[in-house]
């Protein structure tokens, strides 16, 4: 419910520039698990639409983060936000090769100014990129994704972060776990 509110907030900012920045931050943070270090190098050309072998349309974002370069699918409910941001990016006269957040890719605090610009009719809000990324991680942890693929998509070398987020996942169904494990476990 809270993320629905954030998606609406991102799309309802008072200027095109603020709307584009906030749509990129929310759409790529909660939609693809990018953090501030990932967002520093994202350009409009980093976001692409692809077709799966079964002809499903998906959107992905590639990061040039030196510590963890990767290509990450954008969750479907965040694609409209990212599309809006891309449209506004172009409408603001920015080239496809321009950065989507900030102007200099090696600036450490590139997202700080953008995260303080969320506005409602009565209050200014702060966007917490770590929380958006953690929301994305919890969604992946609750999906049937192998751990190795989840770690790869998140750019994580270990599972410590996932262990910290376990309390935010719904309790597992013991019967389902038993069923899955019984199929996997064969002795020789």
């Amino acid at each position: 419910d809270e993320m629905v509110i954030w998606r609406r907030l991102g799309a309802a900012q008072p200027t095109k520039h603020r709307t584009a920045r906030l749509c990129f931050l929310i759409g790529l943070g909660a939609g693809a698990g990018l953090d501030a270090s990932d967002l520093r190098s994202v350009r409009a050309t980093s976001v692409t639409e692809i077709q799966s072998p079964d002809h499903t349309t998906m959107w992905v974002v590639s990061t040039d983060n030196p510590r963890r370069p990767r290509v990450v699918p954008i969750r479907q409910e965040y694609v409209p936000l990212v599309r809006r941001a891309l449209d506004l990016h172009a409408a603001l006269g920015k080239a496809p090769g321009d950065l989507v957040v900030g102007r200099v890719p090696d600036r450490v605090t590139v997202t700080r100014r953008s995260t303080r610009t969320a506005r409602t009719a009565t209050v200014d809000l702060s966007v917490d990129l770590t929380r958006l990324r953690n929301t994305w991680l919890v969604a992946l942890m609750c999906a049937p994704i192998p751990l190795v693929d989840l770690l790869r998509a998140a750019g994580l070398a270990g599972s410590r972060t996932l262990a910290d987020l376990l309390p935010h996942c719904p309790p597992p169904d013991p019967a389902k776990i038993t069923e899955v494990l019984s199929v996997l476990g064969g002795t020789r």
Side-chain angles (χ1 to χ4, degrees):
D1 292 343
E2 184 179 347
M3 292 314 300
V4 170
I5 293 168
W6 276 105
R7 286 194 301 269
R8 285 187 195 145
L9 178 64
Q13 293 302 294
T15 68
K16 288 180 183 180
H17 188 67
R18 284 187 181 163
T19 302
R21 279 191 309 197
L22 202 56
C23 284
F24 277 127
L25 292 174
I26 295 168
L28 297 176
L34 302 191
D35 64 12
S37 64
D38 295 322
L39 286 165
R40 281 197 295 250
S41 63
V42 174
R43 301 173 187 284
T45 55
S46 303
V47 180
T48 55
E49 182 180 23
I50 62 170
Q51 295 286 323
S52 70
D54 69 349
H55 303 293
T56 302
T57 300
M58 297 178 291
W59 286 68
V60 297
V61 59
S62 58
T63 70
D64 294 332
N65 184 337
R67 293 181 310 142
R68 55 180 187 219
R70 64 200 187 283
V71 177
V72 185
I74 300 170
R75 294 174 55 205
Q76 290 295 321
E77 62 262 36
Y78 293 91
V79 168
L81 213 54
V82 175
R83 289 170 93 172
R84 175 116 191 254
L86 288 169
D87 290 344
L88 289 170
H89 185 81
L92 289 165
K94 295 186 178 187
D98 288 347
L99 296 169
V100 299
V101 178
R103 294 186 192 113
V104 182
D106 58 352
R107 184 172 173 192
V108 176
T109 59
V110 70
T111 61
R112 184 173 294 153
R113 184 169 161 230
S114 298
T115 58
R116 290 184 290 188
T117 60
R119 296 188 183 228
T120 68
T122 57
V123 69
D124 291 350
L125 299 172
S126 178
V127 178
D128 184 346
L129 283 173
T130 302
R131 186 159 183 216
L132 293 175
R133 178 175 163 78
N134 287 344
T135 299
W136 174 81
L137 280 168
V138 168
L140 266 61
M141 291 169 62
C142 295
I145 299 171
L147 181 59
V148 67
D149 294 329
L150 190 155
L151 292 172
R152 209 173 277 136
L156 294 172
S159 60
R160 174 176 232 139
T161 301
L162 304 182
D164 292 343
L165 294 173
L166 275 175
H168 300 286
C169 295
D173 177 2
K176 186 67 176 169
I177 292 171
T178 301
E179 178 185 333
V180 170
L181 291 176
S182 69
V183 172
L184 294 176
T187 58
R188 293 182 182 196

